[in-house]
Amino acid sequence: MAHRLLIGLAGLMGAAGVALAAASAHGADASRLASASAMLLFHATAILAVMGLLTRGLLHGGIGLVAACGFVIGAALFAGDLSLRQFAGHSLFPMAAPTGGTVMIASWLAVTLAAVVAKR
């Protein structure tokens, strides 16, 4: 169930990333949206890759799932904060974007750990 949920969330992140890219291309001073779009698109793809690697047994299951969940949470915080700043003029909460970025970095490190400790 968690695998399908994460794949579904990756699809939503991809769709939102494309929508933000379009908004960035057509909006004045919308550089924040381009960054938000990139984070969503990159990490949606990363989630799909992690799920594929988990299915093949190339990553430690629990650590890989934590990494994929971190990609969702981190990208949502980062992109949500930048998008809210663009459209509403205020942030999600103080330090939301840096927190999201830190979560994404930690998730990439978790992918590394999941690969190292995976059963051979």
Side-chain angles (χ1 to χ4, degrees):
M1 181 66 177
H3 289 225
R4 289 180 190 248
L5 176 62
L6 286 165
I7 292 167
L9 289 171
L12 291 174
M13 289 168 60
V18 172
L20 288 174
S24 172
H26 298 290
D29 189 32
S31 61
R32 287 182 179 141
L33 298 181
S35 295
S37 169
M39 288 303 116
L40 288 170
L41 288 168
F42 293 152
H43 289 88
T45 304
I47 292 164
L48 296 175
V50 166
M51 302 319 302
L53 293 168
L54 284 171
T55 301
R56 303 266 332 255
L58 298 173
L59 295 177
H60 182 276
I63 299 169
L65 283 175
V66 167
C69 289
F71 288 149
V72 171
I73 293 165
L77 284 173
F78 186 90
D81 188 58
L82 293 182
S83 297
L84 196 58
R85 286 179 194 212
Q86 182 68 35
F87 293 122
H90 60 83
S91 66
L92 188 59
F93 59 84
M95 300 295 290
T99 300
T102 301
V103 170
M104 288 183 285
I105 293 167
S107 297
W108 281 109
L109 294 172
V111 169
T112 303
L113 181 62
V116 170
V117 300
K119 294 178 185 175
R120 298 190 189 271

